[in-house]
Amino acid sequence: MPGFARASDLRVLLAALGLVLGAAMPARAEAPKRVASMNLCTDQLAMLIAAPGQLVSVSNLASRAEMSAMAEEAARYPVNHGRAEELYLLAPDIVLADVWSSPATVSMLRRLGVEVVQFTPGASMAEIRDNIARMGEVLGQEARAEEILAAFDGRLADLTADVPAHRPRAAIYGPSGYTYGPNTLAGQILLAAGFDNIASELGLDWGGTLPLESLIMAAPDLVIASRRERGATSRSEEILGHPALRGLRRGGALTDESWACATPFVLEAVADLIHVRHELEAEG
C-alpha cells in the first residue's frame, strides 16, 4: 500500500485488524451452506477450497483473465459487483471480503444481519499459508485446506531448493516508476526466485517511487516491468516504454493474475522468474 511510509505501519495496522476480526468470528457448529465473495483474492481462495455448491457468487473481477488466475473457473459462478443490496439478495450465510473492501458495503451487510469475514492481504509465503488455513476454517473445509497447504509447501520447497551461488540483482518496475520492496508480496516472490531486490539498496523496504535515473544508475541484472496492455493510454505507463530502459535486461512480467493476491498461484510467478534466472546464469 503506497500510502504507508514504513512497512511497520502496515504490519501494526493489519495485526490489530487481525485481532479484532479473529475475536469477532463466532464458532460454527456446521459449515456455511451459502457463501459469497466480493473480493478478487478471496474469490480465488474460496474457489480453491469451497465444497461443490457452497460458493454462490464471486466478484466481477474474478473472471477477468488479466487479473485472475482462476478466470476460467470463475466464469461458472454468478457475479456480484460488491454492492450490499445484491449480496444481501443472495441470502448468504457468509460474505467474504478484504480488509480494504468498501466499508459502506461491509457495514450495511452487518447491519442487515449478514456475517462478513474479512481477510488481510498477505505479504509473505507464511501469510499465504495463514490465509489458506483460515479460509478452510471459515468454510468448514479444513481437510481440503490441508491438502492445498501440503501441495503449496511441497512445490515451494522444490522451487527454492535450487539456491543460486550468486544472487542476481533485480528491480520490479511498474506504472509511474513504482517499485516493490522486500516486505511486499512481490518482493517475497523475487526473493523466493533467487534474486536480490535493489529496492533494499535504495532504502525502499516496503516500496515507493523509483526515479528512472536511479534505476539506470543501480544497473540491475534484470528489470521486471508491468505488462503494458495493448492500446493502453495511461500516462502512468508511458515510463515503461522509455528508451533508457532498452539498455537494461528485461524478463518476466509483473502480472496481476499471479502477483497480486496471496494465493498459491504466486508460485507460478516464482517458477517463471527462476527460469529467467537460469537464462541469466547460462549467459554468464
Side-chain angles (χ1 to χ4, degrees), residues 119-171:
F119 283 72
T120 57
S124 69
M125 299 300 168
E127 289 170 351
I128 291 174
R129 297 188 85 264
D130 291 343
N131 277 348
I132 294 169
R134 185 167 182 239
M135 185 63 78
E137 292 173 1
V138 169
L139 300 182
Q141 305 296 333
E142 290 88 348
R144 173 60 178 156
E146 285 297 327
E147 292 175 0
I148 293 172
L149 280 172
F152 176 79
D153 290 342
R155 189 174 185 210
L156 178 61
D158 289 343
L159 288 171
T160 55
D162 175 23
V163 180
H166 168 71
R167 294 178 66 90
R169 298 163 61 249

Short mmCIF file of all heavy atoms in Angstrom, two decimals, residues 119-171:
data_model
loop_
_atom_site.label_atom_id
_atom_site.label_comp_id
_atom_site.label_asym_id
_atom_site.label_seq_id
_atom_site.Cartn_x
_atom_site.Cartn_y
_atom_site.Cartn_z
N PHE A 119 -10.51 -10.79 5.23
CA PHE A 119 -9.17 -11.34 5.18
C PHE A 119 -8.16 -10.22 4.98
O PHE A 119 -8.42 -9.27 4.23
CB PHE A 119 -9.04 -12.35 4.03
CG PHE A 119 -9.65 -13.69 4.33
CD1 PHE A 119 -11.03 -13.84 4.38
CD2 PHE A 119 -8.86 -14.79 4.57
CE1 PHE A 119 -11.61 -15.06 4.66
CE2 PHE A 119 -9.42 -16.04 4.85
CZ PHE A 119 -10.80 -16.17 4.90
N THR A 120 -7.01 -10.35 5.61
CA THR A 120 -5.94 -9.38 5.41
C THR A 120 -5.11 -9.79 4.20
O THR A 120 -4.92 -10.99 3.95
CB THR A 120 -5.01 -9.30 6.64
OG1 THR A 120 -4.49 -10.61 6.91
CG2 THR A 120 -5.77 -8.79 7.85
N PRO A 121 -4.61 -8.83 3.43
CA PRO A 121 -3.76 -9.17 2.29
C PRO A 121 -2.43 -9.72 2.79
O PRO A 121 -1.80 -9.14 3.66
CB PRO A 121 -3.58 -7.84 1.56
CG PRO A 121 -3.82 -6.80 2.60
CD PRO A 121 -4.81 -7.37 3.56
N GLY A 122 -2.00 -10.84 2.27
CA GLY A 122 -0.74 -11.43 2.70
C GLY A 122 0.45 -10.78 2.03
O GLY A 122 0.37 -10.38 0.87
N ALA A 123 1.55 -10.71 2.75
CA ALA A 123 2.77 -10.12 2.19
C ALA A 123 3.96 -11.06 2.34
O ALA A 123 5.10 -10.62 2.27
CB ALA A 123 3.07 -8.78 2.88
N SER A 124 3.68 -12.34 2.54
CA SER A 124 4.77 -13.32 2.66
C SER A 124 4.22 -14.71 2.38
O SER A 124 3.00 -14.92 2.36
CB SER A 124 5.38 -13.28 4.06
OG SER A 124 4.44 -13.77 5.02
N MET A 125 5.11 -15.67 2.20
CA MET A 125 4.68 -17.04 2.00
C MET A 125 3.97 -17.58 3.23
O MET A 125 3.00 -18.33 3.13
CB MET A 125 5.88 -17.93 1.64
CG MET A 125 6.61 -17.53 0.37
SD MET A 125 5.54 -17.58 -1.11
CE MET A 125 6.56 -16.72 -2.31
N ALA A 126 4.43 -17.18 4.42
CA ALA A 126 3.78 -17.61 5.66
C ALA A 126 2.36 -17.09 5.74
O ALA A 126 1.45 -17.79 6.20
CB ALA A 126 4.60 -17.14 6.87
N GLU A 127 2.15 -15.86 5.28
CA GLU A 127 0.81 -15.27 5.33
C GLU A 127 -0.12 -15.89 4.28
O GLU A 127 -1.33 -15.94 4.48
CB GLU A 127 0.90 -13.76 5.19
CG GLU A 127 1.51 -13.12 6.43
CD GLU A 127 1.84 -11.65 6.26
OE1 GLU A 127 1.77 -11.15 5.11
OE2 GLU A 127 2.19 -11.01 7.26
N ILE A 128 0.45 -16.36 3.18
CA ILE A 128 -0.35 -17.12 2.22
C ILE A 128 -0.87 -18.39 2.91
O ILE A 128 -2.04 -18.75 2.80
CB ILE A 128 0.47 -17.49 0.97
CG1 ILE A 128 0.79 -16.24 0.16
CG2 ILE A 128 -0.28 -18.51 0.09
CD1 ILE A 128 1.71 -16.48 -1.01
N ARG A 129 0.00 -19.07 3.64
CA ARG A 129 -0.41 -20.26 4.36
C ARG A 129 -1.51 -19.94 5.36
O ARG A 129 -2.48 -20.70 5.53
CB ARG A 129 0.79 -20.88 5.09
CG ARG A 129 1.90 -21.38 4.18
CD ARG A 129 2.96 -22.16 4.97
NE ARG A 129 2.56 -23.56 5.12
CZ ARG A 129 1.95 -24.07 6.16
NH1 ARG A 129 1.61 -23.30 7.20
NH2 ARG A 129 1.62 -25.35 6.21
N ASP A 130 -1.34 -18.82 6.07
CA ASP A 130 -2.35 -18.42 7.05
C ASP A 130 -3.71 -18.20 6.40
O ASP A 130 -4.75 -18.60 6.94
CB ASP A 130 -1.92 -17.14 7.77
CG ASP A 130 -0.71 -17.34 8.68
OD1 ASP A 130 -0.41 -18.51 9.01
OD2 ASP A 130 -0.07 -16.34 9.04
N ASN A 131 -3.72 -17.55 5.23
CA ASN A 131 -4.98 -17.28 4.53
C ASN A 131 -5.65 -18.57 4.05
O ASN A 131 -6.88 -18.70 4.11
CB ASN A 131 -4.75 -16.34 3.34
CG ASN A 131 -4.71 -14.88 3.76
OD1 ASN A 131 -5.07 -14.53 4.88
ND2 ASN A 131 -4.28 -14.02 2.85
N ILE A 132 -4.85 -19.51 3.58
CA ILE A 132 -5.41 -20.79 3.14
C ILE A 132 -6.05 -21.52 4.33
O ILE A 132 -7.18 -22.00 4.25
CB ILE A 132 -4.32 -21.68 2.50
CG1 ILE A 132 -3.82 -21.05 1.20
CG2 ILE A 132 -4.84 -23.10 2.25
CD1 ILE A 132 -2.57 -21.72 0.64
N ALA A 133 -5.31 -21.58 5.43
CA ALA A 133 -5.83 -22.27 6.62
C ALA A 133 -7.08 -21.58 7.15
O ALA A 133 -8.06 -22.25 7.52
CB ALA A 133 -4.75 -22.32 7.70
N ARG A 134 -7.07 -20.27 7.16
CA ARG A 134 -8.24 -19.55 7.69
C ARG A 134 -9.45 -19.73 6.79
O ARG A 134 -10.57 -19.88 7.28
CB ARG A 134 -7.91 -18.06 7.85
CG ARG A 134 -9.06 -17.28 8.51
CD ARG A 134 -8.64 -15.90 8.95
NE ARG A 134 -9.76 -15.25 9.60
CZ ARG A 134 -10.31 -14.11 9.21
NH1 ARG A 134 -9.83 -13.49 8.15
NH2 ARG A 134 -11.33 -13.59 9.87
N MET A 135 -9.24 -19.72 5.48
CA MET A 135 -10.36 -19.95 4.58
C MET A 135 -10.95 -21.33 4.81
O MET A 135 -12.19 -21.52 4.77
CB MET A 135 -9.93 -19.78 3.13
CG MET A 135 -11.09 -19.88 2.12
SD MET A 135 -12.35 -18.59 2.30
CE MET A 135 -11.52 -17.20 1.51
N GLY A 136 -10.10 -22.32 5.05
CA GLY A 136 -10.58 -23.65 5.35
C GLY A 136 -11.45 -23.67 6.59
O GLY A 136 -12.50 -24.33 6.64
N GLU A 137 -11.05 -22.92 7.62
CA GLU A 137 -11.83 -22.84 8.86
C GLU A 137 -13.16 -22.14 8.63
O GLU A 137 -14.21 -22.59 9.10
CB GLU A 137 -11.02 -22.09 9.92
CG GLU A 137 -9.79 -22.84 10.40
CD GLU A 137 -8.94 -21.98 11.32
OE1 GLU A 137 -9.33 -20.82 11.59
OE2 GLU A 137 -7.88 -22.47 11.77
N VAL A 138 -13.12 -21.02 7.90
CA VAL A 138 -14.34 -20.23 7.66
C VAL A 138 -15.36 -21.06 6.88
O VAL A 138 -16.57 -21.02 7.18
CB VAL A 138 -14.00 -18.93 6.90
CG1 VAL A 138 -15.27 -18.24 6.41
CG2 VAL A 138 -13.20 -18.00 7.80
N LEU A 139 -14.90 -21.82 5.90
CA LEU A 139 -15.81 -22.59 5.05
C LEU A 139 -16.13 -23.97 5.63
O LEU A 139 -16.96 -24.69 5.08
CB LEU A 139 -15.21 -22.76 3.65
CG LEU A 139 -14.93 -21.49 2.86
CD1 LEU A 139 -14.39 -21.83 1.48
CD2 LEU A 139 -16.17 -20.62 2.75
N GLY A 140 -15.48 -24.32 6.74
CA GLY A 140 -15.67 -25.65 7.29
C GLY A 140 -15.08 -26.73 6.41
O GLY A 140 -15.55 -27.86 6.38
N GLN A 141 -14.01 -26.38 5.70
CA GLN A 141 -13.36 -27.30 4.74
C GLN A 141 -11.88 -27.44 5.11
O GLN A 141 -10.99 -27.29 4.28
CB GLN A 141 -13.52 -26.78 3.31
CG GLN A 141 -14.93 -26.50 2.86
CD GLN A 141 -15.79 -27.75 2.82
OE1 GLN A 141 -15.29 -28.86 2.65
NE2 GLN A 141 -17.10 -27.58 3.00
N GLU A 142 -11.64 -27.74 6.38
CA GLU A 142 -10.26 -27.81 6.86
C GLU A 142 -9.43 -28.88 6.14
O GLU A 142 -8.25 -28.67 5.86
CB GLU A 142 -10.24 -28.08 8.37
CG GLU A 142 -10.74 -26.93 9.24
CD GLU A 142 -12.24 -26.95 9.46
OE1 GLU A 142 -12.94 -27.72 8.76
OE2 GLU A 142 -12.70 -26.18 10.32
N ALA A 143 -10.05 -30.02 5.85
CA ALA A 143 -9.30 -31.09 5.20
C ALA A 143 -8.84 -30.67 3.80
O ALA A 143 -7.70 -30.95 3.39
CB ALA A 143 -10.16 -32.36 5.11
N ARG A 144 -9.71 -30.00 3.07
CA ARG A 144 -9.35 -29.51 1.74
C ARG A 144 -8.23 -28.48 1.84
O ARG A 144 -7.28 -28.49 1.05
CB ARG A 144 -10.58 -28.91 1.05
CG ARG A 144 -10.31 -28.22 -0.27
CD ARG A 144 -9.73 -29.13 -1.31
NE ARG A 144 -9.53 -28.44 -2.57
CZ ARG A 144 -8.65 -28.81 -3.49
NH1 ARG A 144 -7.88 -29.89 -3.30
NH2 ARG A 144 -8.53 -28.13 -4.60
N ALA A 145 -8.31 -27.59 2.82
CA ALA A 145 -7.27 -26.58 3.01
C ALA A 145 -5.93 -27.24 3.34
O ALA A 145 -4.88 -26.79 2.85
CB ALA A 145 -7.67 -25.62 4.13
N GLU A 146 -5.96 -28.32 4.12
CA GLU A 146 -4.72 -29.02 4.44
C GLU A 146 -4.10 -29.63 3.20
O GLU A 146 -2.88 -29.63 3.05
CB GLU A 146 -5.00 -30.10 5.48
CG GLU A 146 -5.23 -29.57 6.90
CD GLU A 146 -3.99 -28.88 7.47
OE1 GLU A 146 -2.86 -29.31 7.14
OE2 GLU A 146 -4.16 -27.90 8.21
N GLU A 147 -4.92 -30.14 2.29
CA GLU A 147 -4.39 -30.69 1.04
C GLU A 147 -3.70 -29.61 0.21
O GLU A 147 -2.63 -29.83 -0.36
CB GLU A 147 -5.53 -31.31 0.22
CG GLU A 147 -6.15 -32.56 0.83
CD GLU A 147 -7.35 -33.03 0.03
OE1 GLU A 147 -7.68 -32.37 -0.99
OE2 GLU A 147 -7.94 -34.06 0.41
N ILE A 148 -4.34 -28.44 0.14
CA ILE A 148 -3.76 -27.34 -0.63
C ILE A 148 -2.48 -26.84 0.02
O ILE A 148 -1.49 -26.54 -0.67
CB ILE A 148 -4.79 -26.21 -0.77
CG1 ILE A 148 -5.96 -26.69 -1.64
CG2 ILE A 148 -4.16 -24.95 -1.37
CD1 ILE A 148 -7.13 -25.74 -1.69
N LEU A 149 -2.46 -26.79 1.35
CA LEU A 149 -1.24 -26.37 2.05
C LEU A 149 -0.10 -27.35 1.79
O LEU A 149 1.04 -26.92 1.58
CB LEU A 149 -1.52 -26.28 3.56
CG LEU A 149 -2.22 -25.02 4.05
CD1 LEU A 149 -2.60 -25.16 5.51
CD2 LEU A 149 -1.33 -23.80 3.84
N ALA A 150 -0.39 -28.63 1.81
CA ALA A 150 0.66 -29.62 1.57
C ALA A 150 1.23 -29.48 0.16
O ALA A 150 2.45 -29.55 -0.04
CB ALA A 150 0.10 -31.03 1.80
N ALA A 151 0.35 -29.27 -0.81
CA ALA A 151 0.81 -29.09 -2.19
C ALA A 151 1.62 -27.80 -2.33
O ALA A 151 2.65 -27.78 -3.02
CB ALA A 151 -0.39 -29.06 -3.14
N PHE A 152 1.16 -26.74 -1.68
CA PHE A 152 1.87 -25.46 -1.72
C PHE A 152 3.26 -25.60 -1.10
O PHE A 152 4.26 -25.17 -1.69
CB PHE A 152 1.06 -24.41 -0.97
CG PHE A 152 1.73 -23.07 -0.85
CD1 PHE A 152 1.75 -22.18 -1.91
CD2 PHE A 152 2.36 -22.69 0.33
CE1 PHE A 152 2.37 -20.94 -1.81
CE2 PHE A 152 2.98 -21.45 0.45
CZ PHE A 152 2.99 -20.58 -0.63
N ASP A 153 3.32 -26.20 0.08
CA ASP A 153 4.61 -26.37 0.76
C ASP A 153 5.57 -27.21 -0.06
O ASP A 153 6.77 -26.91 -0.15
CB ASP A 153 4.40 -27.00 2.14
CG ASP A 153 3.72 -26.07 3.13
OD1 ASP A 153 3.72 -24.85 2.89
OD2 ASP A 153 3.20 -26.57 4.14
N GLY A 154 5.04 -28.28 -0.66
CA GLY A 154 5.90 -29.16 -1.45
C GLY A 154 6.48 -28.46 -2.66
O GLY A 154 7.68 -28.58 -2.95
N ARG A 155 5.64 -27.72 -3.36
CA ARG A 155 6.15 -27.06 -4.57
C ARG A 155 7.09 -25.91 -4.20
O ARG A 155 8.11 -25.70 -4.89
CB ARG A 155 5.00 -26.52 -5.42
CG ARG A 155 5.51 -26.05 -6.78
CD ARG A 155 4.44 -25.64 -7.73
NE ARG A 155 5.04 -25.33 -9.01
CZ ARG A 155 4.55 -24.43 -9.86
NH1 ARG A 155 3.43 -23.80 -9.57
NH2 ARG A 155 5.15 -24.19 -11.01
N LEU A 156 6.78 -25.17 -3.14
CA LEU A 156 7.67 -24.08 -2.72
C LEU A 156 9.04 -24.65 -2.33
O LEU A 156 10.08 -24.07 -2.69
CB LEU A 156 7.06 -23.33 -1.54
CG LEU A 156 7.90 -22.19 -0.96
CD1 LEU A 156 8.16 -21.11 -2.01
CD2 LEU A 156 7.21 -21.58 0.26
N ALA A 157 9.05 -25.77 -1.63
CA ALA A 157 10.32 -26.39 -1.25
C ALA A 157 11.11 -26.81 -2.47
O ALA A 157 12.33 -26.63 -2.55
CB ALA A 157 10.05 -27.59 -0.35
N ASP A 158 10.43 -27.39 -3.47
CA ASP A 158 11.11 -27.80 -4.69
C ASP A 158 11.70 -26.60 -5.44
O ASP A 158 12.83 -26.66 -5.93
CB ASP A 158 10.13 -28.54 -5.62
CG ASP A 158 9.76 -29.92 -5.10
OD1 ASP A 158 10.48 -30.44 -4.23
OD2 ASP A 158 8.74 -30.46 -5.56
N LEU A 159 10.92 -25.52 -5.52
CA LEU A 159 11.37 -24.35 -6.26
C LEU A 159 12.56 -23.67 -5.58
O LEU A 159 13.47 -23.19 -6.26
CB LEU A 159 10.22 -23.35 -6.41
CG LEU A 159 9.09 -23.73 -7.36
CD1 LEU A 159 7.92 -22.76 -7.23
CD2 LEU A 159 9.59 -23.75 -8.81
N THR A 160 12.54 -23.62 -4.27
CA THR A 160 13.59 -22.88 -3.54
C THR A 160 14.77 -23.75 -3.16
O THR A 160 15.71 -23.27 -2.53
CB THR A 160 13.00 -22.22 -2.28
OG1 THR A 160 12.36 -23.22 -1.47
CG2 THR A 160 11.97 -21.16 -2.65
N ALA A 161 14.73 -25.04 -3.52
CA ALA A 161 15.87 -25.91 -3.24
C ALA A 161 17.07 -25.56 -4.09
O ALA A 161 18.22 -25.82 -3.72
CB ALA A 161 15.48 -27.38 -3.47
N ASP A 162 16.82 -24.95 -5.23
CA ASP A 162 17.89 -24.55 -6.15
C ASP A 162 18.43 -23.19 -5.71
O ASP A 162 17.99 -22.14 -6.18
CB ASP A 162 17.33 -24.47 -7.58
CG ASP A 162 18.36 -23.95 -8.57
OD1 ASP A 162 19.56 -24.07 -8.29
OD2 ASP A 162 17.95 -23.42 -9.61
N VAL A 163 19.37 -23.22 -4.78
CA VAL A 163 19.92 -21.98 -4.24
C VAL A 163 21.06 -21.49 -5.14
O VAL A 163 22.03 -22.21 -5.36
CB VAL A 163 20.46 -22.19 -2.81
CG1 VAL A 163 21.03 -20.90 -2.26
CG2 VAL A 163 19.37 -22.73 -1.90
N PRO A 164 20.92 -20.28 -5.69
CA PRO A 164 21.98 -19.81 -6.59
C PRO A 164 23.27 -19.49 -5.85
O PRO A 164 23.25 -18.99 -4.71
CB PRO A 164 21.37 -18.54 -7.20
CG PRO A 164 20.40 -18.06 -6.16
CD PRO A 164 19.83 -19.30 -5.52
N ALA A 165 24.39 -19.79 -6.49
CA ALA A 165 25.69 -19.45 -5.89
C ALA A 165 25.86 -17.93 -5.83
O ALA A 165 26.47 -17.40 -4.90
CB ALA A 165 26.81 -20.07 -6.72
N HIS A 166 25.30 -17.26 -6.81
CA HIS A 166 25.35 -15.79 -6.84
C HIS A 166 23.94 -15.29 -7.14
O HIS A 166 23.35 -15.65 -8.16
CB HIS A 166 26.31 -15.31 -7.93
CG HIS A 166 26.20 -13.83 -8.20
ND1 HIS A 166 26.64 -12.88 -7.32
CD2 HIS A 166 25.69 -13.16 -9.27
CE1 HIS A 166 26.39 -11.68 -7.82
NE2 HIS A 166 25.81 -11.82 -9.00
N ARG A 167 23.40 -14.50 -6.24
CA ARG A 167 22.04 -13.99 -6.43
C ARG A 167 22.09 -12.75 -7.32
O ARG A 167 22.65 -11.72 -6.93
CB ARG A 167 21.40 -13.63 -5.08
CG ARG A 167 21.18 -14.81 -4.17
CD ARG A 167 20.58 -14.38 -2.84
NE ARG A 167 19.25 -13.83 -2.98
CZ ARG A 167 18.12 -14.56 -2.92
NH1 ARG A 167 18.20 -15.86 -2.70
NH2 ARG A 167 16.95 -14.01 -3.07
N PRO A 168 21.52 -12.81 -8.51
CA PRO A 168 21.49 -11.62 -9.36
C PRO A 168 20.61 -10.54 -8.75
O PRO A 168 19.71 -10.82 -7.95
CB PRO A 168 20.92 -12.12 -10.68
CG PRO A 168 20.24 -13.40 -10.35
CD PRO A 168 20.91 -13.97 -9.15
N ARG A 169 20.86 -9.30 -9.12
CA ARG A 169 20.12 -8.15 -8.61
C ARG A 169 18.99 -7.81 -9.58
O ARG A 169 19.20 -7.75 -10.79
CB ARG A 169 21.04 -6.95 -8.43
CG ARG A 169 22.15 -7.18 -7.43
CD ARG A 169 23.27 -6.17 -7.56
NE ARG A 169 22.82 -4.80 -7.33
CZ ARG A 169 22.76 -3.88 -8.28
NH1 ARG A 169 23.09 -4.17 -9.54
NH2 ARG A 169 22.36 -2.65 -7.99
N ALA A 170 17.82 -7.59 -9.03
CA ALA A 170 16.66 -7.31 -9.88
C ALA A 170 15.88 -6.12 -9.34
O ALA A 170 15.96 -5.77 -8.17
CB ALA A 170 15.76 -8.54 -9.98
N ALA A 171 15.11 -5.52 -10.24
CA ALA A 171 14.22 -4.42 -9.87
C ALA A 171 12.83 -4.71 -10.41
O ALA A 171 12.68 -5.21 -11.53
CB ALA A 171 14.72 -3.10 -10.46
#
